[in-house]
Amino acid sequence: MSRILIAEDDRRISEFIEKGFRAANYTCTAVEDGASALLLARSGEFGMIILDIGLPTLSGFEVLERLRSEGCKTPVIVLTASDSVADTVYGLESGANDYMTKPFQFAELLARVRLRLHDDAGPAPVATISHGELSLDLRSRRVHVGADTADLTAREFSLLEVFLRHPGQILSREQLISHAWDMDFDPASNVVDVYVRALRTKIGARRLETVRGAGYRLT
């Protein structure tokens, strides 16, 4: 089983999470400040990091940014009491793999951890998803378009992954927000359109078709 690092300064929440993971047969280490979280995460001994944003010494955002800038690819699930879209976007763009707001149900957190870890009891994870000339590397977060390669932001990666798992299917903006970023749909938001445009510059405009009044489709 993978070892999980829990960075949470509220001891009640930390103990609640740790108790749940141990019951699910995961080994856990808990810390209460950002500096300790960064030090342990750099060790490479953990397969998953549960990261609170409001940590002393270093915020969760600072820890995340430093880890990603150093090339650390350990999956990170951010926990926060803030439900603002701005914080969600910032966390995802900084390299978080997932985002949960407090209060939360432990069963949901466990399910998300298992999804990211591809639990040892399950089949080996697929390293790439392909469709036509497109190939998405799930480990490096890079997309290969024929002989060309492009790096993706966290949000671009999540969006393209959804498209590649549903090739040829019309996906509404609501579906894309829900599946790619696990956010509530705001009819007034153009966030999907913004990131579709960004993806088109990297994979070619013709590959993402706009279906008027319905959404988008990977051709």
Side-chain angles (χ1 to χ4, degrees):
M1 281 288 184
S2 293
R3 190 175 175 189
I4 299 173
L5 174 62
I6 303 167
E8 169 60 64
D9 66 332
D10 187 320
R11 185 163 295 183
R12 293 174 305 164
I13 295 176
S14 178
E15 291 176 351
F16 166 71
I17 295 172
E18 189 172 2
K19 181 179 178 180
F21 281 134
R22 292 191 186 282
N25 296 319
Y26 287 98
T27 301
C28 302
T29 298
V31 296
E32 298 181 1
D33 66 278
S36 298
L38 182 61
L39 181 65
L40 287 177
R42 283 171 170 164
S43 71
E45 298 178 1
F46 297 90
M48 169 64 67
I49 302 170
I50 308 299
L51 184 63
D52 179 38
I53 292 304
L55 295 173
T57 66
L58 289 174
S59 73
F61 284 143
E62 291 176 292
V63 173
L64 181 59
E65 288 169 352
R66 293 193 190 188
L67 289 175
R68 294 304 188 234
S69 69
E70 294 168 6
C72 174
K73 293 182 171 60
T74 305
V76 174
I77 296 179
V78 166
L79 293 180
T80 178
S82 171
D83 60 356
S84 77
V85 173
D87 281 350
T88 302
V89 170
Y90 189 78
L92 293 171
E93 292 290 10
S94 297
N97 299 86
D98 211 339
Y99 202 99
M100 290 189 68
T101 55
K102 304 173 184 176
F104 59 90
Q105 295 292 324
F106 179 77
E108 181 181 356
L109 176 60
L110 179 60
R112 295 190 188 210
V113 166
R114 283 175 168 164
L115 176 66
R116 293 296 172 184
L117 286 177
H118 300 285
D119 198 286
D120 295 338
V126 177
T128 61
I129 307 174
S130 301
H131 178 68
E133 292 184 326
L134 290 180
S135 178
L136 181 64
D137 190 317
L138 301 180
R139 295 194 178 100
S140 70
R141 292 175 176 260
R142 291 178 176 175
V143 60
H144 302 275
V145 187
D148 298 324
T149 301
D151 290 317
L152 301 172
T153 67
R155 180 158 284 197
E156 290 167 352
F157 171 84
S158 297
L159 186 61
L160 183 56
E161 182 180 0
V162 173
F163 277 121
L164 283 168
R165 293 190 186 279
H166 303 85
Q169 180 179 334
I170 298 173
L171 298 170
S172 68
R173 289 170 177 80
E174 182 176 7
Q175 288 174 313
L176 290 169
I177 285 179
S178 174
H179 291 306
W181 306 314
D182 194 33
M183 294 165 54
D184 292 332
F185 178 64
D186 178 2
S189 172
N190 68 340
V191 65
V192 171
D193 309 272
V194 169
Y195 281 93
V196 165
R197 284 198 296 271
L199 275 180
R200 282 172 168 163
T201 66
K202 297 183 177 182
I203 68 173
R206 63 181 176 83
R207 291 189 170 88
L208 289 179
E209 177 187 3
T210 300
V211 182
R212 188 175 297 276
Y216 294 99
R217 172 170 53 200
L218 178 67
T219 60

